[in-house]
Structures are given as structure tokens and as C-alpha cells.
Amino acid sequence: MPPDTAGERLDRAAVLLWPGVGLRGRRRLIEAGAVAVDGRVRGSAYRVRVGEKLAALDLPAAPEVFCAGDVPILFRGEAYAALAKPAGLHSAAIAQGGGQSLESLLPALFPDARARLLSRLDRLTSGIVPVALTEAAAAAYRRAEAAGGVEKTYLCVVHGTVAAPLIVDNALDVADRARTRLLQRTDPDRLRHTAVSPLEALPGLTLLACRIAKGARHQIRAHLAGIGHPLVGDPVYGHGEGERLYLHCAGLVALGLDVSNPPPWTLAGAMAAVLGAQTRDGAK
């Protein structure tokens, strides 16, 4: 490491190893164990010292857990299709060791078309992902999305009581970081707002329907956590109870698509996850 890197975080200093890889990609590689500092694997926040030697390490190929049979096709027409993505599967193929993705399964799901994803869900989020089967269909969907012609409905379970419908219109800072930050100003783009409606409640938890249009990275998770209602099971914005994030894309309306898909979980299951986490924490 040269003198001008003294005290720099490893994820920034690692640009010397991978000049063409962005910050998030470098973090992914580091956390996967692909960087050694003087022969020792370090984390992204490690502060480098002058004279230390960085080395890129080969990573074993990630095991393929999912196959095309794990992804139901909810709808297929001439121009569009809709898939039900399971939790635990990335939406888009990610370079730098991101793991298996829904995008990588598209050739097996649609062998007769050049299918492309039209939206993404976080790895932990399940539910509907629209797919274009032609380039023209993809372009038409993007135009409709920019004009507010796409509506996506998510179901989620949050901590606390949400008694009445509301709109979360805070702008979000989605810069190159692991956590999207809620800003204390209104986003002028209404397509980036989250419309929230309570559906059902148990003591300390509320099942919500959230409607968004274009959507931003971690929009629902960050918006709800920012107003004091983190999602059950969220390891980034909440407490990370259990092994499931209680967020599911349950509805999509756009350009002739009108698709619904119920979540693979229930409000009662979320309550069980919360109580189980409390029991484990109390036993420590």
C-alpha cells in the first residue's frame, strides 16, 4: 500500500486490485473472503497501513441451490410474463461473487425467448417479478413505468401499530452503500412515494399493504423503518428475527398484466418469529 492510502478503508483501497469494480462489488468480494492483507483475510472496514500487501484470493463457486422448477411462472403472454421469485434468490446476476440469480434461470424458464427482467426484488424478498419477452416489450414497460403506469403491491409485517393509511414521501439516499438512508425532505417525484394501508394487526405487529410505482433500492424497508415501523425479520433496518424477511410482492398491474401472488407466510408466523427471537435473547 502506498503512502497516500494510509488509514483508508479496505473496501476503498481495494480499487488497486480491481480498478473496474464499483464500491459495492468490492465490498461483496471482501466480505466473501476474496482479499487478504499481509496474508490475513480482513473485513471491509479494516484500515490499511502503508507497506501492507493486498492480494486477491480465488473464491470457490457458489453452490446452485435453486433451479427453474423452483420459480413458478404466474403468467405468460406474447410480450410479458410474471414469475414468483422465492426468498433467498438474487433477482439480477451479480458479478464479483453475488451468488445464484433469477436472471441466470431465465434461459431455462423461457428457452424460446430472449427474456429480461423488468424489476428486481431484494434477495430476501419474495414475490412477483415481471419479465419482458421482447426488446420492444421491455422498452414499452420502461415508458409506462416512467409515466406512472405501473403499480406494485407488497404485503409486509412491521413492528408497532399502524392505525390508518398514510403516505411516506421522504426522499431516499441510495448512494453506493449497504443501507439506504432516509432523508428529512420530501421527494418531489410521487412515483418514489410509498402508500401504506393497514390490513390486520396482532399485539405489537401490523400487516400492511404497500403500493409503489417505480421503486428505489430498499424503498419499502427504509421508508417503514424510518417512520418507526421496521419489517419483521429485516437484518439491515430491523432486528433480523428468524430466517425470513416478511416482505412479499403480491400484486402487479401494468400494460395488460394483472397478476397476484399470495405470500408464503402469515401474520401469525411473523408473531411466532418475534416471540421466538425474544425467547432466545432472554436465554442469553
XYZ file of all heavy atoms in Angstrom, residues 118-177:
434
model
N -37.728 -7.048 -15.662
C -38.200 -5.673 -15.718
C -38.124 -4.978 -14.356
O -38.270 -3.765 -14.273
C -39.640 -5.629 -16.239
C -39.793 -6.054 -17.693
C -41.263 -6.179 -18.060
C -39.090 -5.070 -18.623
N -37.931 -5.737 -13.304
C -37.736 -5.161 -11.976
C -36.963 -6.162 -11.135
O -36.761 -7.310 -11.541
C -39.068 -4.796 -11.314
O -39.821 -5.962 -11.038
N -36.543 -5.700 -9.973
C -35.764 -6.549 -9.076
C -36.394 -6.559 -7.696
O -36.988 -5.581 -7.264
C -34.326 -6.042 -8.952
C -33.566 -5.953 -10.261
C -32.144 -5.484 -10.014
N -31.417 -5.292 -11.258
C -30.122 -5.011 -11.325
N -29.421 -4.856 -10.208
N -29.524 -4.864 -12.488
N -36.244 -7.679 -7.029
C -36.571 -7.786 -5.612
C -35.284 -8.084 -4.852
O -34.397 -8.773 -5.365
C -37.580 -8.916 -5.356
C -38.960 -8.790 -6.018
C -39.801 -10.019 -5.680
C -39.664 -7.524 -5.567
N -35.182 -7.589 -3.620
C -34.040 -7.938 -2.778
C -33.964 -9.453 -2.641
O -34.977 -10.161 -2.751
C -34.196 -7.326 -1.379
C -34.246 -5.814 -1.402
O -33.718 -5.222 -2.365
O -34.813 -5.236 -0.456
N -32.781 -9.937 -2.346
C -32.587 -11.390 -2.210
C -33.550 -11.988 -1.183
O -34.097 -13.077 -1.377
C -31.138 -11.686 -1.800
C -30.822 -13.178 -1.703
C -29.386 -13.409 -1.286
N -29.143 -12.942 0.079
C -29.400 -13.683 1.169
N -29.908 -14.902 1.050
N -29.134 -13.206 2.364
N -33.797 -11.304 -0.075
C -34.645 -11.839 0.982
C -36.134 -11.657 0.714
O -36.965 -12.227 1.413
C -34.294 -11.165 2.317
C -32.875 -11.403 2.837
C -32.640 -10.622 4.132
C -32.613 -12.891 3.059
N -36.485 -10.855 -0.283
C -37.884 -10.582 -0.597
C -38.400 -11.590 -1.623
O -37.710 -11.923 -2.579
C -38.034 -9.156 -1.167
O -37.492 -8.223 -0.236
C -39.490 -8.820 -1.410
N -39.619 -12.046 -1.422
C -40.243 -12.986 -2.361
C -41.330 -12.274 -3.160
O -41.725 -11.158 -2.848
C -40.850 -14.169 -1.592
O -41.788 -13.705 -0.626
N -41.800 -12.943 -4.211
C -42.953 -12.427 -4.919
C -42.763 -12.193 -6.404
O -41.861 -12.752 -7.039
N -43.618 -11.342 -6.949
C -43.766 -11.178 -8.401
C -42.616 -10.381 -8.999
O -42.273 -9.302 -8.515
C -45.084 -10.465 -8.726
C -46.279 -11.270 -8.192
C -45.233 -10.258 -10.234
C -47.586 -10.499 -8.226
N -42.046 -10.926 -10.069
C -41.054 -10.215 -10.873
C -41.526 -10.263 -12.328
O -41.668 -11.347 -12.901
C -39.657 -10.846 -10.758
C -38.675 -10.130 -11.682
C -39.156 -10.794 -9.325
N -41.794 -9.101 -12.952
C -42.220 -9.097 -14.351
C -41.044 -9.321 -15.296
O -39.908 -8.947 -15.004
C -42.811 -7.697 -14.530
C -42.073 -6.855 -13.535
C -41.786 -7.753 -12.364
N -41.345 -9.910 -16.436
C -40.336 -10.257 -17.435
C -40.833 -9.823 -18.810
O -42.007 -10.026 -19.145
C -40.076 -11.782 -17.429
C -39.160 -12.188 -18.576
C -39.495 -12.219 -16.095
N -39.960 -9.216 -19.598
C -40.274 -8.895 -20.993
C -39.722 -10.008 -21.877
O -38.603 -10.493 -21.665
C -39.669 -7.562 -21.388
N -40.486 -10.388 -22.868
C -40.072 -11.466 -23.772
C -39.516 -10.939 -25.083
O -39.034 -11.714 -25.904
C -41.247 -12.414 -24.023
C -41.824 -13.060 -22.750
C -43.014 -13.940 -23.110
C -40.764 -13.862 -22.004
N -39.601 -9.614 -25.285
C -39.008 -8.983 -26.461
C -38.390 -7.655 -26.047
O -38.760 -7.074 -25.016
C -40.051 -8.714 -27.561
O -40.960 -7.703 -27.104
C -40.819 -9.978 -27.920
N -37.480 -7.170 -26.848
C -36.853 -5.877 -26.567
C -37.879 -4.749 -26.637
O -37.852 -3.809 -25.830
C -35.723 -5.624 -27.567
C -34.894 -4.392 -27.258
C -33.684 -4.264 -28.154
O -33.277 -5.274 -28.765
O -33.146 -3.149 -28.255
N -38.800 -4.827 -27.581
C -39.833 -3.796 -27.713
C -40.733 -3.766 -26.480
O -41.132 -2.693 -26.007
C -40.661 -4.040 -28.966
N -41.057 -4.939 -25.946
C -41.892 -5.000 -24.746
C -41.174 -4.391 -23.548
O -41.782 -3.700 -22.722
C -42.272 -6.450 -24.452
N -39.874 -4.628 -23.443
C -39.099 -4.049 -22.354
C -39.106 -2.527 -22.427
O -39.288 -1.833 -21.419
C -37.670 -4.583 -22.385
N -38.931 -1.991 -23.633
C -38.929 -0.538 -23.808
C -40.298 0.053 -23.483
O -40.397 1.119 -22.852
C -38.528 -0.194 -25.237
N -41.371 -0.626 -23.867
C -42.724 -0.143 -23.574
C -42.986 -0.139 -22.073
O -43.627 0.780 -21.543
C -43.754 -1.014 -24.296
N -42.501 -1.145 -21.386
C -42.680 -1.213 -19.931
C -41.945 -0.056 -19.256
O -42.488 0.577 -18.339
C -42.158 -2.553 -19.407
C -42.415 -2.775 -17.931
C -43.545 -3.459 -17.506
C -41.530 -2.309 -16.964
C -43.792 -3.675 -16.153
C -41.759 -2.514 -15.613
C -42.885 -3.195 -15.216
O -43.131 -3.404 -13.869
N -40.742 0.243 -19.703
C -39.974 1.351 -19.118
C -40.699 2.682 -19.319
O -40.734 3.518 -18.413
C -38.575 1.421 -19.734
C -37.704 0.202 -19.503
C -37.448 -0.025 -18.045
N -36.647 -1.230 -17.833
C -36.731 -2.006 -16.761
N -37.585 -1.697 -15.804
N -35.976 -3.071 -16.641
N -41.292 2.849 -20.487
C -42.046 4.080 -20.738
C -43.264 4.164 -19.825
O -43.570 5.229 -19.262
C -42.463 4.159 -22.210
C -41.310 4.390 -23.182
C -41.828 4.771 -24.561
N -42.620 3.717 -25.179
C -42.121 2.742 -25.937
N -40.813 2.691 -26.180
N -42.913 1.816 -26.473
N -43.952 3.050 -19.671
C -45.129 3.034 -18.797
C -44.735 3.300 -17.349
O -45.422 4.030 -16.623
C -45.845 1.680 -18.917
N -43.628 2.725 -16.926
C -43.153 2.924 -15.561
C -42.827 4.390 -15.306
O -43.196 4.961 -14.276
C -41.922 2.045 -15.327
C -41.463 1.955 -13.901
C -40.308 0.976 -13.750
O -39.372 1.008 -14.576
O -40.337 0.173 -12.802
N -42.140 5.026 -16.255
C -41.781 6.433 -16.098
C -43.006 7.333 -16.089
O -42.980 8.425 -15.496
C -40.841 6.847 -17.232
N -44.090 6.884 -16.709
C -45.319 7.680 -16.769
C -46.279 7.354 -15.625
O -47.397 7.896 -15.579
C -46.015 7.450 -18.110
N -45.880 6.486 -14.715
C -46.749 6.127 -13.598
C -47.769 5.069 -13.931
O -48.763 4.906 -13.210
N -47.532 4.310 -14.991
C -48.477 3.291 -15.424
C -48.221 1.908 -14.857
O -48.798 0.931 -15.333
N -47.372 1.806 -13.842
C -47.080 0.528 -13.192
C -47.419 0.657 -11.709
O -47.021 1.628 -11.058
C -45.598 0.132 -13.351
C -45.281 -1.134 -12.559
C -45.252 -0.059 -14.821
N -48.169 -0.298 -11.182
C -48.461 -0.317 -9.748
C -48.106 -1.685 -9.170
O -48.570 -2.713 -9.666
C -49.939 -0.023 -9.469
C -50.249 -0.007 -7.968
C -51.705 0.304 -7.661
O -52.505 -0.647 -7.586
O -52.023 1.493 -7.504
N -47.274 -1.655 -8.144
C -46.864 -2.889 -7.463
C -47.358 -2.843 -6.027
O -47.211 -1.829 -5.348
C -45.342 -3.043 -7.509
C -44.805 -3.343 -8.901
C -43.288 -3.324 -8.952
C -42.785 -1.919 -9.180
N -41.337 -1.887 -9.488
N -47.955 -3.935 -5.586
C -48.469 -4.033 -4.220
C -47.663 -5.075 -3.451
O -47.549 -6.226 -3.890
C -49.955 -4.432 -4.210
O -50.706 -3.457 -4.933
C -50.475 -4.517 -2.786
N -47.118 -4.642 -2.332
C -46.354 -5.525 -1.456
C -47.129 -5.738 -0.157
O -47.809 -4.818 0.325
C -45.000 -4.908 -1.103
C -44.006 -4.845 -2.233
C -44.168 -3.950 -3.280
C -42.880 -5.679 -2.242
C -43.248 -3.883 -4.315
C -41.961 -5.615 -3.271
C -42.149 -4.716 -4.308
O -41.240 -4.648 -5.328
N -47.010 -6.918 0.398
C -47.505 -7.190 1.738
C -46.305 -7.341 2.652
O -45.288 -7.932 2.270
C -48.358 -8.457 1.763
C -49.632 -8.437 0.905
C -50.373 -9.763 1.030
C -50.543 -7.282 1.289
N -46.420 -6.798 3.857
C -45.322 -6.906 4.811
C -45.870 -6.855 6.228
O -46.995 -6.397 6.472
C -44.282 -5.802 4.593
S -44.914 -4.133 4.841
N -45.068 -7.327 7.158
C -45.413 -7.259 8.579
C -44.387 -6.378 9.260
O -43.175 -6.586 9.100
C -45.433 -8.652 9.236
C -45.823 -8.535 10.715
C -46.407 -9.577 8.514
N -44.876 -5.369 10.006
C -43.988 -4.424 10.661
C -44.209 -4.423 12.160
O -45.256 -4.836 12.663
C -44.193 -2.985 10.118
C -43.917 -2.928 8.631
C -45.604 -2.478 10.435
N -43.204 -3.940 12.867
C -43.332 -3.742 14.308
C -44.171 -2.499 14.575
O -44.087 -1.504 13.849
C -41.948 -3.567 14.941
C -41.170 -4.841 15.008
N -41.313 -5.751 16.031
C -40.239 -5.373 14.167
C -40.499 -6.770 15.833
N -39.842 -6.571 14.698
N -44.977 -2.545 15.630
C -45.777 -1.400 16.029
C -47.163 -1.421 15.406
O -47.497 -2.283 14.598
N -47.958 -0.443 15.787
C -49.333 -0.328 15.312
C -49.450 0.800 14.291
O -49.102 1.944 14.584
C -50.288 -0.046 16.485
O -50.208 -1.120 17.431
C -51.722 0.089 15.998
N -49.914 0.455 13.109
C -50.228 1.451 12.076
C -51.746 1.488 11.995
O -52.378 0.570 11.477
C -49.600 1.081 10.723
C -49.945 2.123 9.666
C -48.089 0.929 10.851
N -52.330 2.548 12.502
C -53.780 2.588 12.686
C -54.531 3.056 11.455
O -55.712 2.719 11.282
C -54.116 3.484 13.875
N -53.892 3.839 10.591
C -54.607 4.429 9.456
C -53.691 4.498 8.246
O -52.459 4.476 8.374
C -55.090 5.830 9.829
N -54.281 4.586 7.048
C -53.453 4.715 5.844
C -52.587 5.969 5.886
O -52.962 6.988 6.477
C -54.496 4.808 4.719
C -55.715 4.160 5.274
C -55.726 4.496 6.730
N -51.433 5.887 5.261
C -50.525 7.029 5.203
C -49.640 6.907 3.977
O -49.560 5.850 3.354
C -49.674 7.118 6.469
C -48.798 5.901 6.803
C -47.367 6.135 6.348
C -48.825 5.589 8.283
N -48.973 8.005 3.637
C -48.019 8.011 2.534
C -46.673 8.447 3.076
O -46.565 9.480 3.744
C -48.465 8.955 1.408
C -49.738 8.399 0.745
C -47.360 9.108 0.361
C -50.305 9.282 -0.345
N -45.651 7.647 2.827
C -44.285 8.005 3.209
C -43.629 8.597 1.975
O -43.430 7.909 0.974
C -43.490 6.788 3.712
C -42.149 7.238 4.282
C -44.277 6.013 4.763
N -43.337 9.893 2.047
C -42.830 10.592 0.862
C -41.405 11.097 1.021
O -40.928 11.899 0.227
C -43.753 11.754 0.497
C -43.896 12.773 1.629
O -43.173 12.654 2.645
O -44.728 13.690 1.487
N -40.696 10.608 2.057
C -39.314 11.043 2.261
C -38.430 10.619 1.097
O -38.545 9.509 0.573
C -38.741 10.438 3.535
C -39.486 10.885 4.778
O -40.624 10.483 4.980
N -38.843 11.684 5.602
N -37.527 11.499 0.720
C -36.515 11.137 -0.268
C -35.555 10.128 0.335
O -35.389 10.050 1.564
C -35.760 12.385 -0.718
N -34.929 9.344 -0.512
C -34.000 8.308 -0.064
C -32.628 8.541 -0.675
O -32.511 8.875 -1.854
C -34.509 6.923 -0.460
C -35.821 6.466 0.190
C -36.321 5.187 -0.467
C -35.646 6.260 1.693
N -31.604 8.330 0.135
C -30.227 8.376 -0.349
C -29.829 6.945 -0.675
O -29.631 6.127 0.222
C -29.316 8.969 0.732
C -27.857 9.037 0.313
O -27.546 8.576 -0.800
O -27.029 9.532 1.100
N -29.751 6.630 -1.959
C -29.438 5.260 -2.391
C -28.033 5.182 -2.969
O -27.753 4.382 -3.864
C -30.473 4.753 -3.424
C -31.829 4.606 -2.793
C -30.547 5.699 -4.627
N -27.137 6.010 -2.435
C -25.748 6.001 -2.901
C -25.132 4.635 -2.652
O -25.737 3.757 -2.041
C -24.956 7.094 -2.195
N -23.913 4.469 -3.098
C -23.245 3.162 -3.126
C -22.912 2.689 -1.722
O -21.784 2.759 -1.253
C -21.964 3.279 -3.946
C -21.517 1.925 -4.464
O -22.218 0.941 -4.198
O -20.484 1.882 -5.137
N -23.910 2.198 -1.007
C -23.713 1.727 0.362
C -24.688 0.598 0.639
O -25.654 0.399 -0.088
C -23.894 2.858 1.372
C -25.224 3.578 1.270
C -25.422 4.526 2.448
N -24.398 5.536 2.492
C -24.517 6.727 1.912
N -25.611 7.015 1.219
N -23.570 7.620 1.996
